[in-house]
């Protein structure tokens, strides 16, 4: 499946509310970020704390254009936590960290406007 990141693209096909509820999007705090030189495209490996129920998960994120490694720890981000893990080069990405494209098509992470408890589910 290919996602269209063009802001001028029409909306996707209509889905049922139950389909939306099946996607578990949670908030977590980045506890560490490291360079991922073995990725095909420039990326970082994020370790994100989703609280006591979900715990810590890792994610490969292609965010090198808009973020520095040292600025990521402490940042709260949104991620899909119920996709199957995906092999990205030598690492297993356990969650899909969410973002929007900036004017150049580079990822800007989704983050709540205020601090919220880790593990909170998007509704």
């Amino acid at each position: 499946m290919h996602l269209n990141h063009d802001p001028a693209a029409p909306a996707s096909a209509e889905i049922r509310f139950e389909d939306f509820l099946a996607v578990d999007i949670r908030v977590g705090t980045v506890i560490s970020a490291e360079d991922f030189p073995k990725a095909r495209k420039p990326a970082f490996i994020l370790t994100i704390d989703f609280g006591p129920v979900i715990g810590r998960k890792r994610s490969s994120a292609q965010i090198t254009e808009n973020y520095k490694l040292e600025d990521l720890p402490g940042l709260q981000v949104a991620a899909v936590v119920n996709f199957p893990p995906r092999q990205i080069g030598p690492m297993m990405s356990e969650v899909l960290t969410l973002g929007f494209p900036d004017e150049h098509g580079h990822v800007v992470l989704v983050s709540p406007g205020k601090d919220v408890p880790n593990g909170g589910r998007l509704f």
Side-chain angles (χ1 to χ4, degrees):
M1 172 158 107
H2 175 71
L3 296 176
N4 189 340
H5 300 292
D6 180 358
S12 295
E14 189 175 279
I15 63 170
R16 299 173 302 128
F17 185 67
E18 291 76 18
D19 296 330
F20 168 74
L21 292 177
V23 180
D24 193 352
I25 300 172
R26 304 285 181 122
V27 66
T29 300
V30 177
I31 57 171
S32 69
E34 56 191 276
D35 204 14
F36 190 12
K38 293 186 178 182
R40 278 196 334 253
K41 295 181 181 179
F44 296 146
I45 297 173
L46 306 179
T47 301
I48 305 167
D49 180 6
F50 291 97
V53 174
I54 296 172
R56 294 179 176 187
K57 302 288 182 183
R58 291 172 31 127
S59 179
S60 171
Q62 295 174 1
I63 57 172
T64 59
E65 295 87 358
N66 284 321
Y67 298 90
K68 295 179 185 168
L69 285 174
E70 61 269 17
D71 295 334
L72 291 163
L75 180 67
Q76 285 198 302
V77 297
V80 176
V81 299
N82 67 330
F83 285 155
R86 183 173 178 190
Q87 190 75 41
I88 308 288
M91 69 95 53
M92 188 65 71
S93 188
E94 301 171 293
V95 299
L96 175 64
T97 307
L98 301 175
F100 290 105
D102 66 11
E103 64 275 7
H104 304 290
H106 302 140
V107 177
V108 175
L109 294 170
V110 174
S111 185
K114 292 176 68 169
D115 284 346
V116 296
N118 287 337
R121 186 171 180 168
L122 180 76
F123 59 86

